[in-house]
Amino acid sequence: MTALTRRRLLQSSAAGAAGLTIAGASLPRPAAAADKVLKIGFLAPLTGEVAAWGLPGLNGCNIWADEVNAAGGIEIGGDTYTVEFVPYDNEYSPDRALAGARKLVLEDEVKFIMMLGGDTWPAVQPFANANGMLVSTLLPSDLSPDTPSLIAPTEVHPIYNVTGVQWLAENFPDAKRVAICAQEDSLGRPSVATYQAAFKVHGMEMVDEIFFDPATTDFAPIMTRMLASNPDVLCLDTAYADFVNLLMEQAFLQGFGGKIISCTFDNYPQVIEKTSVEFVEGTIFQFPDFDDPALEGRVTFTDSQKFWNTYQERFPNTWSAVSWEYASIMSLWVDAAKAAGSVEPGPVLQAMKASPTGQHAFGPAVWWGEELFGINNALVGDWPVVVMNSEGRARIAEFKSIPAWWDAHKETFIETYRAYGEMWDQRA
Amino acid sequence: MALRHLPLSLAIAVAVLLAPYGAQLIGGDSMVGTLVTMMIFAIVVVSYRLLAMTGEFSLAHVVIMGVGAYASALAAKQLGIPLWLSIPLGGLVAALVALILAFPLFRMKGFYFLIGSFAAGEAIRLSWIRFRDPFGGTRGISLIPGFDLTLPGLGRLDFFDPINAYFMITAVTAVALFLMYRIERSRIGLTLNAIHWKDLLAESVGVNLWRYRTLALVLASFFAGIAGALFAHNLSTINPRIFSIHAMLLVLVWVIVGGTRTFWGPIIGLIALTVVDQVLRLYIDLPPEWRPAIFGIILILAVMFLPQGLESLPGKIRGWLGSRRPPPGMDVRTAE
């Protein structure tokens, strides 16, 4: 095998680029060929323990882009664009995220960056502010008055978790005692605060609360302690996808027979293989499969069934909570760019927020968040409550309104959030 | 410095000065940003070797770096102390924490010291999580004041430009490395080496082992604290996860792959593995989830075939070439 020298690398890169150019020139093109390329940055964890909330989102975006490009691109302000996603793996590390933001903005000249957010956002924040770059996050707990160009237009984590608790309380009024666990990080902690607020509102008691280190690999002791408090409900919070699965296995092995509620339940077929359909039946979480009949006519950004089929065909066994979310953000962005007649971040943001209402992935929504985040940059509407059925499939039980819940219970929520130190003005 | 080393020193200086421009040509500003991070970690790996000279390997060094980062960040953000003061303050606080840790830690040796240092580091890291005021809990501290410098004739420098950040941090790194080099070449350095290889003999001739080991830990921690402070002000945010055992293992890998016998070994390891990482990221078209596996294989191969680190490679090559040459005094032609 020959060694990879820099010279060889440059030679092969040049040859590859030349080959691609020739190949590209000879390939047939769509009839209405786009004349410009619209580059969108995808700055999320593609490897590591949080990759389940990054990589499947990139897969979804590529499906979305292929559809858009095959249809001739997007017309904005008189120009037609093909869409290209430029990914950068931030490994859920702040310094990688900053390096990625620099590359995407300064070298790739992207017009919009999509992030998971969380621990990686604060490193990007000063750079994004200085460059006026429009950035989206899946975690509105990143929002504050210091983040004018950060939006949370699809996922309102962890606020939607209240809808799952509401549904649980309405349908299983005898389930009163809850044990909760989460990794101690900027995903887990605000989520615990949210669940706690919802438990209080709906007359449930949190009998144990465990924060574990994100480096934890053995979940048996955690489950043993949770079960020791004799709970009716196990709440797995926003534990990472792998953690939820391991905790479910432990709950099965240790003989738990009550209700389980979680923010996500990714890769649930693997859990069923290790437990049983009967065990996971009734598990409540917040993210639907897109072949769910209840989504028909409800999803605003794509044909949900077609999206699901394409995804399963191209990326089998990788569907997660975020598979559709980033693509849904793109749809919102395109609508705003068309309204603005520009792809530049400033006009797009202005157009996006020109009206106090907007079109969310699941229907009409409002720009919201001032009371919780100090800024109305989260788009909030209805959110599905998903329950595992007797056939081992995730199915939507009901859509519930987050704004309606908020209006009725916001005092309790804010009081609890503040007790956990999660209000925007409490962050260091 | 011996005169014979002057050309090499000049070459290194020129390479360091030109590096950001070369990096920018090859990989743009993000590559320069990687160089900036590498410069910060050059202080960390060399200071780690300073401690390792005593024969003890710590698992708390990155947490100590974090102590410097938190101290400088809090001093600058909460107290408004200017960075030229808060950064050395970060180093001093890290050194002070190390001095306190020295009392329990140096009652242990070898494997016990390793585990003890891990426990101490975790205790510090968990305290950042538990005491949300002032450390910010899991979110850490954000919006940390960045570098701010106005030069006559150049005006206010923009440190979002990574080339400016590179020269600022390289200047501090150069001073730190020079100081550590002088320490190694001083009587203190010789004594630390003696403790490493023959601690009982050193003690028998009057060397106070505890004092010198503590001195090494405190000095190494001071420099690690400086590196942490630079990291915090360059990144504008810190959190406990940044200083986790994963980061510590990375530092260990850099040091072990580079080698600990010479001053330059850890730096060579840092540079080599950073280059590998960048090549895998930017030039090898593979699914991103494959990268850690390939990186791991490269590490295993390096450790298998170069157990004394990359710094031993020139010697191995010389030895390999030497074994192919005829013995001195034997000419190939006469042998025929």
Side-chain angles (χ1 to χ4, degrees), chain A residues 161-163 165-166 193-204 405 412-413 416:
Chain A
N161 287 334
V162 300
T163 61
V165 177
Q166 186 183 11
T194 300
Y195 273 115
Q196 169 70 311
F199 294 147
K200 275 187 201 169
V201 164
H202 296 289
M204 300 162 85
W405 191 97
T412 307
F413 192 102
T416 313

Side-chain angles (χ1 to χ4, degrees), chain A residues 47 49 89 91 95-96 99 103 106-107 119 122-123 126 141 146 184-185 189 213 240 420-422 428, chain B residues 27-30 77 125 129-130 132 138-140 142-143 160 235-237 241-242 277 281 283 288-289 291:
Chain A
T47 57
E49 59 208 0
D89 178 12
E91 300 171 19
D95 57 322
R96 292 285 187 200
K103 176 182 177 292
L106 302 175
E107 293 156 37
D119 288 349
S141 42
D146 296 323
E184 174 85 65
D185 73 351
R189 199 171 176 87
D213 193 290
Y240 300 158
Y420 278 84
E422 288 298 324
Chain B
D29 279 348
S30 65
K77 187 176 176 181
R125 206 176 67 83
I129 294 172
R130 290 291 165 219
R132 295 171 65 80
T138 51
R139 284 181 192 279
S142 54
L143 298 177
F160 282 123
L235 198 61
S236 297
T237 181
R241 187 193 282 255
I242 293 173
D277 182 54
R281 275 177 169 274
Y283 300 118
E289 61 270 28
R291 204 177 59 246

Side-chain angles (χ1 to χ4, degrees), chain B:
Chain B
M1 184 185 294
L3 203 59
R4 66 192 170 91
H5 288 149
L6 193 61
L8 179 64
S9 305
L10 280 175
I12 291 173
V14 170
V16 168
L17 287 175
L18 294 180
Y21 302 105
Q24 199 171 41
L25 276 177
I26 295 170
D29 279 348
S30 65
M31 186 78 87
V32 186
T34 304
L35 270 186
V36 172
T37 307
M38 201 173 78
M39 278 296 166
I40 294 171
F41 275 95
I43 302 177
V44 178
V45 293
V46 173
S47 64
Y48 189 73
R49 181 178 169 275
L50 187 62
L51 171 62
M53 280 173 70
T54 64
E56 302 297 356
F57 280 78
S58 164
L59 288 178
H61 202 60
V62 165
V63 172
I64 292 292
M65 174 193 178
V67 170
Y70 271 90
S72 185
L74 286 171
K77 187 176 176 181
Q78 308 288 2
L79 306 176
I81 293 175
L83 264 56
W84 63 266
L85 202 57
S86 76
I87 291 174
L89 184 68
L92 287 173
V93 173
L96 181 66
V97 169
L99 180 63
I100 296 165
L101 289 180
F103 287 93
L105 286 183
F106 285 125
R107 295 174 70 89
M108 302 173 242
K109 281 185 71 177
F111 181 70
Y112 299 97
F113 179 88
L114 191 77
I115 298 302
S117 64
F118 170 69
E122 278 301 284
I124 293 170
R125 206 176 67 83
L126 291 174
S127 72
W128 296 333
I129 294 172
R130 290 291 165 219
F131 298 105
R132 295 171 65 80
D133 188 11
F135 301 121
T138 51
R139 284 181 192 279
I141 304 170
S142 54
L143 298 177
I144 298 166
F147 302 115
D148 192 0
L149 184 65
T150 304
L151 289 179
L154 289 174
R156 191 174 181 195
L157 295 181
D158 172 18
F159 286 101
F160 282 123
D161 180 345
I163 289 196
N164 288 343
Y166 173 85
F167 283 114
M168 158 74 91
I169 285 168
T170 299
V172 180
T173 300
V175 172
L177 294 187
F178 175 75
L179 290 174
M180 284 189 275
Y181 184 81
R182 295 307 305 166
I183 289 168
E184 182 181 335
R185 295 292 161 133
S186 71
R187 205 166 65 85
I188 295 172
L190 292 174
T191 310
L192 295 179
N193 256 320
I195 291 172
H196 184 181
W197 297 110
K198 296 282 179 190
D199 57 343
L200 293 179
L201 182 61
E203 195 168 27
S204 71
V205 295
V207 173
N208 185 327
L209 296 187
W210 187 89
R211 186 176 294 171
Y212 273 94
R213 281 186 171 138
T214 301
L215 183 62
L217 179 65
V218 167
L219 286 172
S221 300
F222 172 77
F223 289 111
I226 296 282
L230 292 175
F231 187 87
H233 294 294
N234 182 52
L235 198 61
S236 297
T237 181
I238 47 173
N239 64 53
R241 187 193 282 255
I242 293 173
F243 307 105
S244 70
I245 189 68
H246 295 294
M248 184 64 237
L249 290 176
L250 201 55
V251 169
L252 262 181
V253 166
W254 287 330
V255 171
I256 290 169
V257 168
T260 56
R261 289 161 69 95
T262 69
F263 183 84
W264 304 105
I267 299 176
I268 292 168
L270 170 66
I271 293 171
L273 292 180
T274 304
V275 168
V276 168
D277 182 54
Q278 289 298 307
V279 169
L280 286 175
R281 275 177 169 274
L282 302 176
Y283 300 118
I284 311 285
D285 188 20
L286 283 172
E289 61 270 28
W290 285 31
R291 204 177 59 246
I294 292 173
F295 199 60
I297 290 167
I298 291 171
L299 289 182
I300 291 168
L301 292 176
V303 173
M304 277 175 69
F305 295 108
L306 287 168
Q308 289 184 321
L310 289 171
E311 65 183 2
S312 67
L313 191 59
K316 274 187 178 279
I317 292 172
R318 274 197 297 272
W320 183 72
L321 290 175
S323 67
R324 297 206 156 200
R325 285 190 195 128
M330 181 184 283
D331 188 285
V332 177
R333 284 163 299 182
T334 54
E336 285 169 356

Side-chain angles (χ1 to χ4, degrees), chain A residues 76-90:
Chain A
I76 299 169
D79 291 318
T80 307
Y81 294 86
T82 51
V83 181
E84 180 190 337
F85 287 99
V86 186
Y88 192 97
D89 178 12
N90 68 27

Side-chain angles (χ1 to χ4, degrees), chain A residues 5-304:
Chain A
T5 62
R6 187 165 165 263
R7 180 183 296 247
R8 186 178 295 278
L9 189 73
L10 292 172
Q11 284 171 344
S12 58
S13 303
L20 283 176
T21 308
I22 293 164
S26 60
L27 283 174
R29 294 180 176 203
D35 50 8
K36 291 186 173 179
V37 176
L38 173 64
K39 290 187 176 180
I40 304 293
F42 192 92
L43 183 57
L46 304 178
T47 57
E49 59 208 0
V50 197
W53 296 334
L55 192 57
L58 180 60
N59 296 341
C61 282
N62 285 327
I63 291 173
W64 181 88
D66 289 348
E67 280 186 15
V68 163
N69 294 338
I74 307 168
E75 194 175 332
I76 299 169
D79 291 318
T80 307
Y81 294 86
T82 51
V83 181
E84 180 190 337
F85 287 99
V86 186
Y88 192 97
D89 178 12
N90 68 27
E91 300 171 19
Y92 205 56
S93 153
D95 57 322
R96 292 285 187 200
L98 177 58
R102 277 183 174 144
K103 176 182 177 292
L104 294 171
V105 173
L106 302 175
E107 293 156 37
D108 300 311
E109 297 180 346
V110 300
K111 298 300 180 188
F112 174 47
I113 294 178
M114 291 190 287
M115 294 183 70
L116 170 64
D119 288 349
T120 54
W121 164 249
V124 175
Q125 182 180 338
F127 179 75
N129 284 352
N131 286 278
M133 177 49 62
L134 180 60
V135 182
S136 71
T137 176
L138 296 191
L139 308 177
S141 42
D142 292 333
L143 297 173
S144 78
D146 296 323
T147 62
S149 62
L150 180 71
I151 51 168
T154 287
E155 183 173 337
V156 279
H157 178 272
I159 316 304
Y160 50 67
N161 287 334
V162 300
T163 61
V165 177
Q166 186 183 11
W167 187 88
L168 173 66
E170 286 168 0
N171 289 277
F172 299 91
D174 293 337
K176 291 289 183 194
R177 295 167 57 81
V178 187
I180 191 168
C181 72
Q183 73 277 343
E184 174 85 65
D185 73 351
S186 58
L187 281 162
R189 199 171 176 87
S191 189
V192 167
T194 300
Y195 273 115
Q196 169 70 311
F199 294 147
K200 275 187 201 169
V201 164
H202 296 289
M204 300 162 85
E205 181 194 1
M206 205 150 85
V207 292
D208 197 8
E209 175 191 80
I210 302 172
F211 284 106
F212 56 82
D213 193 290
T216 301
T217 53
D218 180 7
F219 290 91
I222 293 169
M223 186 52 62
T224 304
R225 185 181 138 182
M226 288 175 87
L227 297 187
S229 57
N230 195 25
D232 304 319
V233 180
L234 289 181
C235 179
L236 308 183
D237 196 73
T238 309
Y240 300 158
D242 290 345
F243 294 176
V244 168
N245 294 2
L246 291 168
L247 284 161
M248 290 286 284
E249 278 178 54
Q250 281 302 322
F252 173 75
L253 291 171
Q254 298 188 32
F256 180 68
K259 303 298 295 178
I260 297 177
I261 186 168
S262 173
C263 176
T264 62
F265 190 17
D266 297 327
N267 304 321
Y268 65 76
Q270 291 173 19
V271 177
I272 291 173
E273 277 177 23
K274 293 180 180 173
T275 59
S276 69
V277 171
E278 293 73 27
F279 177 74
V280 299
E281 185 183 351
T283 299
I284 302 158
F285 57 111
Q286 309 286 162
F287 289 87
D289 290 345
F290 264 37
D291 64 341
D292 195 318
L295 285 175
E296 266 178 44
R298 184 90 195 202
V299 173
T300 57
F301 74 95
T302 185
D303 175 340
S304 55

